[in-house]
């Protein structure tokens, strides 16, 4: 299907660079500039000072070497940044830099801006994958495959149905991200402890204006101890990453020689093994599984980080900074690999049929039971088919013959009735319908902005 042209996605390297030092400094400068402009709008500082601060609030306007040295000397990055920005400003403007703010206000709001940018890139890739899943579910809606529960053959389904289950889980994550966005992407401004001491009655309005200017939400009580929103986002990333890992594990297992229903279409030049030329090892699914595991390791840190003492403490602030700087690039790398995995799936429908044939009629034993139930009663029908399965397996005869060998069956139970009921290729339930339904639902969701 034709889709509207979308802007190109950032590379993994660009998202990593987003959390590198220079980008982080710029995010702090963006907060300082927005703070000055918001204060000027409320008459707290002169408008010309705010203009000058905004003009000079760029990394290239600062003496980076001096800033680096000052941070190393003071161990107070925002103090050093405020000094550097103040020195770059003309006339009296420098005296109004960082007016009424505290370090955590700038550091965490800056990181929230970076998180938000990374999140927008993540959701763009997220929806690209959703579109691929919709296409896959629709295209493979009729491709029969065996379902496995407890690692053993269960019932016949279609591959499109399998994908439909992934789509619905994917959509639940999309909804979670959308609902959490208004809680997570918020400015953290309230002064030294969050009660707006230095600004006074204009504090709440400044809080709202600053947040709006930065494109963020705001907290009514901007407590420095309220770090649950960072933790929530990391937990959501971990939850989403686990879904990616689950799908990748399914596909990885289906690549095994004994199953051989799926492959990664990586091209002829990709080398599977350094010692065994015949091997074609997974490159993408294993990467997804590994990245998801690394992302999940951030969850305990997130839960620890949201428990600062009293009105805030530096140890937990450092946990938050390290956690965000690691988790956001990890999540983006994970989703780009997931995009490659879903886009590069190669199916082996012939092998799918052969695997289905290994269990053959047994896969439709439920259908035979339900066909016999109106004639025998459900419990009696179950016992008849269960006994027949045992006989067929041990005597190496067809399940149809094993059922018909039961002399207690009434004349209304015919061989044709049993044989038709045991055709596994025709017993796929609503697999095709549900696959097509979820493809439509996914496309409808894509018409709405992601969170």
């Amino acid at each position: 299907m034709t889709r509207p042209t979308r802007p190109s996605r950032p590379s993994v390297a660009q998202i990593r660079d987003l959390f590198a030092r220079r980008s982080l400094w710029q995010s702090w400068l963006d907060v300082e500039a927005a703070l000055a402009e918001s204060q000027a709008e409320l008459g707290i500082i002169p408008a010309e000072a705010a203009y000058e601060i905004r003009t000079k609030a760029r990394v290239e306007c600062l003496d980076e070497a001096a800033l680096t040295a000052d941070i190393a000397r003071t161990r107070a990055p925002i103090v050093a940044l405020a000094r550097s920005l103040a020195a770059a400003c003309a006339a009296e403007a420098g005296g109004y830099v960082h007016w009424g703010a505290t370090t955590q206000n700038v550091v965490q709001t800056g990181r929230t801006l970076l998180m938000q940018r990374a999140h927008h890139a993540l959701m763009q890739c997220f929806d690209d994958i959703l579109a691929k899943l919709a296409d896959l579910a629709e295209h493979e809606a009729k491709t029969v495959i065996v379902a496995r529960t407890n690692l053993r053959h269960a019932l016949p389904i279609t591959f499109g149905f399998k994908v439909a289950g992934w789509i619905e889980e994917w959509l639940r994550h999309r909804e979670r991200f959308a609902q959490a966005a208004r809680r997570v992407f918020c400015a953290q401004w309230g002064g030294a402890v969050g009660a707006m001491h230095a600004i006074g009655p204009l504090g709440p309005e400044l809080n709202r204006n600053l947040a709006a200017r930065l494109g963020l939400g705001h907290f009514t009580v901007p407590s420095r101890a309220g770090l649950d929103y960072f933790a929530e986002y990391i937990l959501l990333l971990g939850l989403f990453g686990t879904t990616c890992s689950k799908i990748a594990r399914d596909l990885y297992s289906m690549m095994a020689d004994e199953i051989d229903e799926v492959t990664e279409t990586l091209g002829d030049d990709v080398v599977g093994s350094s010692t065994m030329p015949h091997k074609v090892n997974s490159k993408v699914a294993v990467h997804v599984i590994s990245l998801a595991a690394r992302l999940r390791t951030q969850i305990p840190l997130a839960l620890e980080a949201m428990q600062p003492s009293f009105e805030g403490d530096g140890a937990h602030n450092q946990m938050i900074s390290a956690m965000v700087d690691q988790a956001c690039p990890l999540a983006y790398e994970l989703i780009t690999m997931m995009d490659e995995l879903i886009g590069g799936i190669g199916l082996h429908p012939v092998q799918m049929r052969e695997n289905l044939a290994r269990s053959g009629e047994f896969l439709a034993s439920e259908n035979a039971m339900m066909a016999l139930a109106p004639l025998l009663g459900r419990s009696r029908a179950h016992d008849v088919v269960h006994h027949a399965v045992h006989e067929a397996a041990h005597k190496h005869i067809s399940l149809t013959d094993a059922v018909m060998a039961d002399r207690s069956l009434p004349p209304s139970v015919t061989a044709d009735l049993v044989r038709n009921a045991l055709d596994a290729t025709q017993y796929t339930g609503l697999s095709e319908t549900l696959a097509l339904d979820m493809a439509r639902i996914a496309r409808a969701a894509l018409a709405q902005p992601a969170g």
Side-chain angles (χ1 to χ4, degrees), residues 34 60 74 133 226 231 258 278 311 320 332 342 372 413 416 420-421 442:
E60 54 267 29
T74 63
L133 290 172
E258 293 79 5
H278 70 282
E311 280 63 59
I320 290 290
Y332 190 70
I342 298 301
L372 295 177
V413 178
D416 283 344
N420 290 336

Side-chain angles (χ1 to χ4, degrees), residues 334-380:
L334 168 64
I335 202 169
T336 59
M337 294 306 299
M338 192 67 187
D339 188 33
E340 183 178 356
L341 178 62
I342 298 301
I345 292 174
L347 301 185
H348 303 163
V350 173
Q351 186 62 39
M352 290 175 176
R353 288 275 185 163
E354 289 181 6
N355 289 341
L356 195 76
R358 289 182 60 189
S359 292
E361 291 180 319
F362 289 0
L363 290 173
S365 63
E366 179 191 55
N367 197 36
M369 177 188 71
M370 296 307 295
L372 295 177
L375 305 174
L376 308 178
R378 193 267 177 202
S379 294
R380 169 78 176 124

Side-chain angles (χ1 to χ4, degrees), residues 133 136-137 158-170 431 434-439:
L133 290 172
L136 191 60
T158 70
F159 191 80
F161 170 77
K162 188 178 188 71
V163 176
W166 299 344
I167 289 173
E168 192 157 30
E169 192 165 339
W170 207 257
S431 291
L434 293 172
L436 296 175
D437 284 349
M438 284 312 304

Side-chain angles (χ1 to χ4, degrees), residues 104-105 108-109 112 180-190 194 196 203-208 211 216-230 232:
Q104 189 177 341
N105 297 163
Q108 291 190 351
T109 301
T112 301
R182 65 180 178 82
R183 295 189 296 271
V184 170
F185 302 118
C186 292
Q188 203 284 336
W189 185 87
M196 310 179 194
E205 190 173 358
L206 174 58
N207 184 27
R208 292 191 294 271
L216 299 172
H218 71 279
F219 301 112
T220 302
V221 181
S223 167
R224 288 177 55 191
L227 301 176
D228 59 291
Y229 62 105
F230 282 113
E232 178 180 10

Side-chain angles (χ1 to χ4, degrees), residues 35 82 336 389 422 438:
L35 176 62
T336 59
V389 167
L422 289 173
M438 284 312 304

Side-chain angles (χ1 to χ4, degrees), residues 27 75-76 136 163 169 199 292 397 400 405 416 441:
S27 76
R75 298 191 181 185
L136 191 60
V163 176
E169 192 165 339
I199 301 299
I397 61 175
T400 298
D416 283 344
I441 290 170

Side-chain angles (χ1 to χ4, degrees), residues 280-439:
V280 182
N281 294 331
S282 165
K283 303 295 184 181
V284 187
V286 292
H287 199 172
V288 170
I289 294 167
S290 172
L291 289 168
R294 289 168 58 195
L295 184 58
R296 284 195 297 276
T297 65
Q298 299 298 308
I299 291 176
L301 181 59
L303 297 176
E304 185 69 25
M306 67 174 281
Q307 304 175 76
S309 60
F310 296 101
E311 280 63 59
D313 67 59
H316 291 260
N317 298 341
Q318 290 185 26
M319 292 180 205
I320 290 290
S321 297
M323 177 183 73
V324 170
D325 292 356
Q326 291 184 51
C328 292
L330 260 179
Y332 190 70
E333 183 178 1
L334 168 64
I335 202 169
T336 59
M337 294 306 299
M338 192 67 187
D339 188 33
E340 183 178 356
L341 178 62
I342 298 301
I345 292 174
L347 301 185
H348 303 163
V350 173
Q351 186 62 39
M352 290 175 176
R353 288 275 185 163
E354 289 181 6
N355 289 341
L356 195 76
R358 289 182 60 189
S359 292
E361 291 180 319
F362 289 0
L363 290 173
S365 63
E366 179 191 55
N367 197 36
M369 177 188 71
M370 296 307 295
L372 295 177
L375 305 174
L376 308 178
R378 193 267 177 202
S379 294
R380 169 78 176 124
H382 178 277
D383 291 344
V384 167
V385 176
H386 178 74
H387 179 264
V389 167
H390 182 272
E391 290 294 298
H394 284 78
K395 294 181 179 179
H396 303 291
I397 61 175
S398 73
L399 184 53
T400 298
D401 289 344
V403 170
M404 295 308 298
D406 189 327
R407 296 181 180 180
S408 69
L409 295 178
S412 55
V413 178
T414 65
D416 283 344
L417 171 70
V418 175
R419 187 178 299 108
N420 290 336
L422 289 173
D423 184 351
T425 64
Q426 300 302 310
Y427 188 55
T428 59
L430 296 179
S431 291
E432 181 181 353
T433 300
L434 293 172
L436 296 175
D437 284 349
M438 284 312 304

